[in-house]
Amino acid sequence: MPTDFEAIQNLLARYCFVTDTGTARDIAACFWDDCTVDFNGNINQGIEAATRGFARWIEKSRDPVVGLRHLLHPPLIEIEGPRATALSYYDADCHTPKGRPIQLRGLYRDVLEKRDGEWRLLERKVEIWRSLLDQG
């Protein structure tokens, strides 16, 4: 049985893998039904709105690129009973179908809750920082 810390680390890693290759429902499975997802200022309240937001992102941003992979740096996790916070730097890289590289950096600011023995995201704020390749 993993510790709470390990369970949170696994959840954060799972989010990256399903973001790169999964469905909107796969991504949503990392969140509680009463979640709030703030994607660089675009706020979705509740799992239905978040799932629709994930589906739009997949269609407009993920599927048009090739080889997307999110790399999570070691998170700073603080656990207090059934709630936890996590700060995680991430890098995301891929390329266009014509081979132009895309590299993003950012920060995830998370609030997680443990319910019935399971950790999921309650709040996620995604900060997208300027791409190193974006000089325009």
Side-chain angles (χ1 to χ4, degrees):
M1 191 76 170
T3 66
D4 286 337
F5 188 86
E6 292 167 333
I8 291 170
Q9 280 186 310
N10 286 339
L11 173 64
L12 299 176
R14 183 179 332 115
Y15 173 87
C16 289
F17 280 99
V18 298
T19 296
D20 293 342
T21 61
T23 67
R25 290 193 191 284
D26 293 334
I27 301 169
C30 296
F31 293 81
W32 290 114
D33 288 347
D34 55 340
C35 67
T36 300
V37 181
D38 178 346
F39 193 79
N40 212 40
N42 184 10
I43 299 171
N44 293 288
Q45 298 274 52
I47 199 66
E48 290 180 21
T51 303
R52 286 191 303 272
F54 299 142
R56 282 191 305 272
W57 175 82
I58 288 169
E59 180 182 348
K60 293 181 180 183
S61 298
R62 187 191 75 188
D63 284 355
V65 300
V66 178
L68 178 63
R69 66 181 182 150
H70 283 75
L71 305 171
L72 196 65
H73 296 269
L76 174 62
I77 299 170
E78 296 183 6
I79 302 169
E80 291 188 30
R83 281 183 80 102
T85 58
L87 295 173
S88 308
Y89 292 117
Y90 70 88
D91 295 329
D93 61 63
C94 58
H95 60 276
T96 66
K98 292 184 178 182
R100 181 179 159 265
I102 301 170
Q103 294 179 329
L104 298 174
R105 288 185 175 169
L107 178 69
Y108 295 134
R109 296 178 182 273
D110 298 324
V111 176
L112 304 99
E113 274 192 0
K114 185 178 186 179
R115 300 178 187 174
D116 297 322
E118 180 181 7
W119 285 98
R120 289 191 195 179
L121 292 154
L122 180 62
E123 299 173 14
R124 168 156 274 191
K125 181 175 182 179
V126 180
E127 295 180 11
I128 302 171
W129 300 340
R130 187 178 174 105
S131 169
L132 295 176
L133 302 178
D134 181 12
Q135 302 300 317

